[in-house]
Amino acid sequence: MARNVARAINPPSHPGSYNRSFLSASPLAEAAIARDLADYAGAVITDDEEEEESDSSTVRPINNGESLHSLAGSYRRPSFIASTSRGTVVPHHLEPERLSHREREQIFEEERRLLSDNHIIRTDHAPDASAGLQHKISGLFSSRKGSVSASDASSGIHGDQRNRTAVTETTSLLGAENHRAVEEEIDRKWEEAVVAGLIQTSWRREAQVIGTYAAPLMLTFVLQYSLTVSSVFAIGRLGTKELGAVSLASMTANITGYAVYQGLATSLDTLCAQAYGSGKKKLVGLQLQRMVYFLWLSTIPIALTWFFADHILLKIIPDREVAVLAGQYLKIVLLGTPGYACFESGKRYVQAQGLFSASLYVLIFCAPLNALMNWLFVWKFEWGYIGAPIAVAITDTLLPICLFLYVYFVAGSECWNGFTWRALHNWGPMIRLALPGLMMIEAECLAFEILTLASSYLGTGPLAAQSILSTVSSLTFQIPFPLSIAGSTRIANLIGATLVGAAKTSAKVSMSGAVIVGVFNMILLSALRSYIPRLFTSDEEVVGLVAQVLPLCAAFQLFDALAANCNGIFRGLGRQEIGGYVQLFCYYAVAMPISFGTTFGLGWGLPGLWSGVAIALGLVSLIESIFLSQVDWQRSVDEAITRNAMA
């Protein structure tokens, strides 16, 4: 989540170095990394690390000052793990990121495809995706030495191609010089085409790219949220009080625990990425250790809060039995908090290296296992209510273990150099960077969780119904939000290449996708309003309440999707603060007063709670759409040019 520019750290020793300069928006992070680098310089560097840094210099340079219009200019990785079930409010800033070798290949391939779409280069033979970068770039130019394609001749920008040695299907690409020559030639064609205004895109191309980005993200988000859904499913049929208690316990855990871990760990989005960008990869492991120790220390007040949660909730919640059950849930889930803290830190560790698939693979294994354990413990072993929190605690412990196995056996271990006492020093900058993230995550989390607390004053039935409604609405949100991330990624990359027209086309495609998704969710919830609640509970009162409010939830699905997509476009433009503050205003200044006024003042009950949310989301989508129609796209391009020039 995060962005801006400052001074370069440890600039590359030569233009082709993989250790490109890394721009930072945070003087705190800059100072912290500089201090770590000073310590690092005195440490013993292994032969493997020296070889690794030497080898890295052969990687194609991107955004190093030579390629001012590269797609990497404002690069955003097409992946992100939601901080909470509705991760849209937080207006924090992305730092420029160091690219992994795989990401560089992806950017190179996107440039090649756009050149081909615009008939600037030829692709006589379709590249084999499994053959690697060297095979992908074969066949890009004419197969006859010195020949020029019709498109080259008509473009007027490739006249000197006749004087160059053409790369053909029969040309050996095994040598580094030929490999580099082809890359430099495509770089040259790309730069000339962008400057000449020849690069255009199509709706089909943008739909293909955004769809490719969004599909794995949707799977990741649904799997992650299924960790919560499984408990609600398993406990729902035990009774109304149990269903209400798990909702109350989840809300308390989010506000007082999980949001704290997630917010504090956001500082690693800057620190790990900058440590990786410094070229001294072992510093990434150092930052990971610091954060794990810090989060474990933070677990002490969290543990005290959860252990005595039943006594605290009894003073807030009118139903004593529900408060006691919620406290019991939190006592058991507490056992998994050290593992959850490790996983939140570990996610940033692998993400800084561009290994976003690691979290997906871990969730592909752990999410179904979590669902299975919920069924086994609650129903098969007949442990009842306590079976669900036991499954959650085990899952939270397994998540970092599985991530460790991925790093050890698959990828990511090069940034780890063992445990060190240095991890107990230089905590100040990390904590100062973590506190703003904590505040923003908490603000985001409270905006929706507070409705659950309010529903407890309506009775056990409405509390149970609120649990189902919030679960369903959050689950449907896991589709438009990843789509907005995919759109944000594509728009930011096109802005970095100064392709304003293409970026606007991508934004239109993303907006159209949001409309389709929103309408789909609306139809789905409306058509199944009588069936969905029965998946969670057999209590007729709760089923009736959910069926009554679901049409209202269905009505704002379009607004929800549009609001998420508008925020994605703002993030791509580097203007995310607009969307962040619009949402904070609408949720707290509009949604909360309306929800409480209609629920308790007018006596609307549970529909009143959701009416405020519906109005706020409609207002968010309207205001942000107006902002987008007036936003200065050229400003974002100018900022990208400045970044590239400084890099």
Side-chain angles (χ1 to χ4, degrees):
M1 298 179 129
R3 359 209 168 222
N4 219 334
V5 181
R7 179 171 62 82
I9 296 179
N10 193 26
S13 56
H14 56 85
S17 173
Y18 187 44
N19 299 335
R20 70 172 176 83
S21 57
F22 193 88
L23 304 178
S24 167
S26 171
L28 283 174
E30 206 171 273
I33 296 299
R35 186 181 307 169
D36 287 334
L37 285 173
D39 294 339
Y40 189 95
V44 178
I45 302 178
T46 65
D47 293 338
D48 289 340
E49 186 176 342
E50 288 179 349
E51 181 180 353
E52 175 188 278
E53 292 182 6
S54 175
D55 291 343
S56 69
S57 64
T58 65
V59 179
R60 173 178 182 255
I62 288 181
N63 195 24
N64 64 354
E66 295 183 344
S67 184
L68 293 180
H69 302 96
S70 167
L71 281 174
S74 290
Y75 185 75
R76 297 288 186 273
R77 288 169 171 145
S79 192
F80 171 85
I81 301 298
S83 57
T84 66
S85 59
R86 307 184 61 84
T88 61
V89 179
V90 184
H92 44 307
H93 301 273
L94 282 176
E95 306 292 342
E97 296 169 323
R98 181 187 177 93
L99 307 182
S100 68
H101 184 71
R102 178 186 60 82
E103 290 167 330
R104 290 169 182 268
E105 288 191 1
Q106 179 181 342
I107 291 173
F108 182 78
E109 180 67 11
E110 285 300 327
E111 292 178 358
R112 185 198 68 79
R113 286 173 178 170
L114 282 173
L115 287 171
S116 176
D117 287 349
N118 287 275
H119 308 292
I120 296 170
I121 62 174
R122 291 178 54 184
T123 52
D124 296 329
H125 301 276
D128 182 2
S130 64
L133 179 60
Q134 292 183 347
H135 293 289
K136 288 180 183 179
I137 60 180
S138 63
L140 294 181
F141 307 99
S142 174
S143 61
R144 184 164 54 86
K145 180 177 180 178
S147 65
V148 182
S149 67
S151 61
D152 291 341
S154 63
S155 68
I157 65 173
H158 305 303
D160 61 338
Q161 175 64 22
R162 293 184 176 86
N163 299 323
R164 294 177 177 267
T165 301
V167 180
T168 73
E169 287 290 334
T170 59
T171 301
S172 171
L173 293 179
L174 296 179
E177 292 185 3
N178 284 334
H179 185 119
R180 195 174 296 112
V182 174
E183 294 175 343
E184 290 175 355
E185 181 64 17
I186 292 183
D187 272 340
R188 184 184 69 82
K189 285 180 176 287
W190 174 265
E191 287 299 309
E192 292 175 339
V194 172
V195 172
L198 300 178
I199 300 295
Q200 303 295 328
T201 189
S202 64
W203 278 64
R204 179 179 179 180
R205 166 63 62 191
E206 296 311 304
Q208 181 182 7
V209 173
I210 292 175
T212 301
Y213 285 171
L217 284 180
M218 290 179 183
L219 176 60
T220 302
F221 276 60
V222 170
L223 286 174
Q224 184 178 28
Y225 193 66
S226 72
L227 301 179
T228 299
V229 175
S230 296
S231 293
V232 178
F233 264 113
I235 290 179
R237 293 188 174 275
L238 291 176
T240 303
K241 289 186 181 295
E242 287 83 358
L243 182 57
V246 73
S247 177
L248 184 62
S250 297
M251 178 210 72
T252 306
N254 282 335
I255 294 176
T256 62
Y258 296 141
V260 174
Y261 291 134
Q262 293 159 356
L264 294 176
T266 56
S267 66
L268 292 186
D269 293 336
T270 297
L271 292 171
C272 280
Q274 289 197 347
Y276 192 75
S278 70
K280 307 298 184 182
K281 296 183 181 180
K282 305 301 183 184
L283 294 184
V284 182
L286 176 63
Q287 300 296 346
L288 169 65
Q289 290 183 60
R290 283 186 183 139
M291 180 53 67
V292 169
Y293 297 152
F294 178 46
L295 293 184
W296 281 352
L297 187 63
S298 303
T299 300
I300 296 175
I302 293 173
L304 291 174
T305 302
W306 288 12
F307 191 81
F308 296 104
D310 50 352
H311 301 287
I312 299 173
L313 291 174
L314 281 172
K315 299 183 181 301
I316 304 174
I317 305 303
D319 192 306
R320 177 181 178 84
E321 186 176 352
V322 170
V324 171
L325 284 172
Q328 185 181 14
Y329 184 101
L330 290 169
K331 284 184 176 70
I332 299 173
V333 170
L334 177 60
L335 299 174
T337 52
Y340 188 88
C342 287
F343 183 65
E344 280 300 312
S345 303
K347 278 194 308 187
R348 271 73 178 188
Y349 169 83
V350 293
Q351 287 171 3
Q353 303 173 61
L355 302 174
F356 283 92
S357 58
S359 299
L360 174 59
Y361 294 146
V362 169
L363 287 169
I364 286 176
F365 173 75
C366 289
L369 181 61
N370 177 68
L372 177 62
M373 286 191 297
N374 270 278
W375 175 76
L376 285 174
F377 297 164
V378 175
W379 295 103
K380 187 67 175 179
F381 298 162
E382 298 183 350
W383 293 355
Y385 178 81
I386 64 170
I390 291 175
V392 172
I394 293 175
T395 302
D396 286 345
T397 303
L398 282 177
L399 287 172
I401 294 175
C402 293
L403 188 61
F404 166 78
L405 293 175
Y406 180 93
V407 170
Y408 187 81
F409 289 105
V410 181
S413 60
E414 64 271 13
C415 290
W416 178 261
N417 64 339
F419 295 97
T420 172
W421 288 105
R422 292 167 56 202
L424 300 178
H425 304 285
N426 198 21
W427 279 27
M430 175 187 68
I431 294 174
R432 289 195 291 273
L433 280 172
L435 291 179
L438 171 62
M439 294 174 61
M440 287 292 97
I441 294 292
E442 284 289 356
E444 173 188 14
C445 186
L446 278 170
F448 281 87
E449 301 292 2
I450 199 170
L451 297 180
T452 300
L453 181 62
S455 66
S456 67
Y457 285 87
L458 299 175
T460 304
L463 176 60
Q466 169 66 19
S467 176
I468 297 174
L469 290 167
S470 61
T471 299
V472 170
S473 64
S474 294
L475 187 59
T476 57
F477 184 71
Q478 307 311 312
I479 302 177
F481 187 42
L483 180 65
S484 76
I485 295 170
S488 171
T489 297
R490 183 60 170 176
I491 292 168
N493 295 348
L494 292 171
I495 287 292
T498 70
L499 300 175
V500 176
K504 289 183 177 180
T505 299
S506 187
K508 293 175 183 177
V509 171
S510 180
M511 190 70 78
S512 300
V515 171
I516 293 173
V517 169
V519 171
F520 172 78
N521 284 343
M522 183 187 302
I523 295 174
L524 184 68
L525 294 186
S526 298
L528 301 178
R529 64 182 181 275
S530 298
Y531 300 95
I532 291 176
R534 298 189 184 277
L535 297 174
F536 296 86
T537 182
S538 57
D539 186 284
E540 291 301 326
E541 179 191 359
V542 176
V543 169
L545 283 171
V546 175
Q548 179 186 0
V549 182
L550 263 182
L552 181 58
C553 292
F556 68 68
Q557 290 299 313
L558 179 59
F559 297 143
D560 209 4
L562 289 175
N565 186 72
C566 287
N567 278 280
I569 297 174
F570 279 127
R571 289 194 302 271
L573 291 171
R575 303 294 304 280
Q576 65 286 340
E577 72 280 355
I578 296 176
Y581 293 123
V582 166
Q583 287 189 99
L584 287 175
F585 170 77
C586 289
Y587 288 151
Y588 285 98
V590 177
M592 294 300 109
I594 292 178
S595 292
F596 282 99
T598 54
T599 300
F600 300 106
L602 300 180
W604 289 8
L606 196 58
L609 283 178
W610 287 90
S611 64
V613 175
I615 294 173
L617 285 172
L619 193 59
V620 167
S621 59
L622 175 62
I623 294 175
E624 293 187 354
S625 297
I626 294 174
F627 267 111
L628 279 176
S629 67
Q630 304 296 323
V631 74
D632 184 2
W633 289 66
Q634 189 59 44
R635 169 182 167 179
S636 298
V637 170
D638 293 340
E639 291 173 351
I641 293 175
T642 301
R643 279 195 297 272
N644 288 353
M646 293 175 61

